[in-house]
Amino acid sequence: MKVKQVILRHIKMRLKFVFTTSFGSFLDKEFLLLEAKDENGLSGWGESVAFHSPWYNEETIKTNWHILEDFLIPSVLNREIEHPDEISQIFSNIRKNNMAKSTIEGAVWDLYAKQKGVSLANALGGTKKEIEVGISIGIQKNVDELLHLIEKYVKDGYKRIKVKIKPGWDVEVMREIRKHFPNVPLMADANSAYRLDDVDRLKALDEFDLMMIEQPLASDDIVDHAKLQKQILTPVCLDESIHSYEDARKAIELGSLKIINIKIGRVGGLTEAKRIHDLCEKHNIPVWCGGMLESGIGRAHNIALTTLSNFVLPGDTAASSRYWEKDVITPEVTVHHGVITVPDKPGIGYEPNLEVIQQLTINEKSFSS
Ligand SMILES: O=C(O)CCC(=O)C1=CC=C[C@@H](O)[C@@H]1C(=O)O
Ligand SMILES: [Mg+2]
């Protein structure tokens, strides 16, 4: 297969809720969408999950645009590609920039599956026809608002509730949640808000029978997480610390984690995500698919990946309507009692809505050889 044309679009979408991060809060989420066309005009789609500011990792929309325009797109355009697994090899001389790499690699995977006439799930080796999903709730103004949201999503049937924690918004909040929801599958995401010195505070969370605590310590650490895991009962799940198969291998060997949150963009694409999945399966480490507030394009890739056998825990792939008044795909992603039915159409299985995408586009550029 050859990619004859790439269209890179920078779009902006208004979220239905304010998303709070260490950089502050935002209501508009910006994305890059990448369309890769073959000689017959067939299109594969990928999405950059980089944020506007470098709070989650070092990548941003602007760094992704630069790396894609100046390095990644030129190295893929008009090149004979037998299988999308080759992309990570083509990019091997480019350091890091995983979210940029994942954007074009995902589009090539989608194009490859469409050319073969199979779903992306099938092309990846996934077999599940339905996937169970959970919901991730950001830090709220007060506990009552948080409890109200949990009640709504439990009623919607989401299979697990993920809440963000940080020092001062953790033990007491979890106690309140457990008072109202003693049995709901519950997990916490700390986004590196703690230090190893906070071990007593983190041990106190053992009282609440959490499924896991996600990324409690530094975003580039696997050593202190190994020390922490030996001191707490709650399973440690790593997100930001795991950028590759090698990171996962070392973290498993050190005992730094018991669960991995796989995010396609963070690890550089679907091929690496699948390698990490397979490694974890071999070591009985369950995985789940994390979210990055994706549009429907990225959401579709997450659904396809989650059909692989070791994705045994509910992920963050909620319904389009949780985030967007109108998503950029038809049909939108819907969730029924916490379950998504996996589309079996060729590729990502959802049709990009070009009219909506054009309305949301704030910049675009076409590249062809
Ligand atoms: O996409 C979703 O609904 C989940 C988003 C989410 O929980 C996160 C996205 C990005 C960084 C964090 O805030 C958190 C995470 O770390 O998983
Ligand atoms: Mg996380």
Side-chain angles (χ1 to χ4, degrees), residues 26-75:
F26 59 84
L27 199 48
D28 288 324
K29 176 118 189 335
E30 297 183 33
F31 306 85
L32 297 185
L33 294 182
L34 188 145
E35 182 181 5
K37 288 188 173 192
D38 69 8
E39 57 274 20
N40 302 315
L42 199 57
S43 287
W45 288 78
E47 174 175 330
S48 157
V49 295
F51 288 98
H52 185 267
S53 50
W55 64 274
Y56 173 79
N57 73 356
E58 73 289 351
E59 295 187 77
T60 66
I61 294 279
K62 282 189 178 168
T63 65
N64 273 207
W65 186 288
H66 156 52
I67 295 295
L68 281 160
E69 176 169 17
D70 296 330
F71 299 98
L72 304 181
I73 292 170
S75 63

Side-chain angles (χ1 to χ4, degrees), residues 134-180:
I135 199 96
S136 171
I137 304 174
I139 289 186
Q140 300 301 308
K141 285 200 225 45
N142 55 56
V143 176
D144 285 347
E145 282 201 15
L146 177 61
L147 294 172
H148 169 72
L149 281 173
I150 293 173
E151 184 171 24
K152 170 184 170 2
Y153 292 126
V154 167
K155 278 202 184 110
D156 286 349
Y158 280 98
K159 297 298 183 189
R160 71 92 167 104
I161 300 292
K162 163 170 154 179
V163 296
K164 286 188 176 302
I165 60 169
K166 61 182 181 182
W169 179 273
D170 49 19
V171 177
E172 295 70 25
V173 173
M174 283 303 180
R175 185 166 289 118
E176 269 307 296
I177 294 173
R178 274 300 184 222
K179 203 187 293 176
H180 293 80

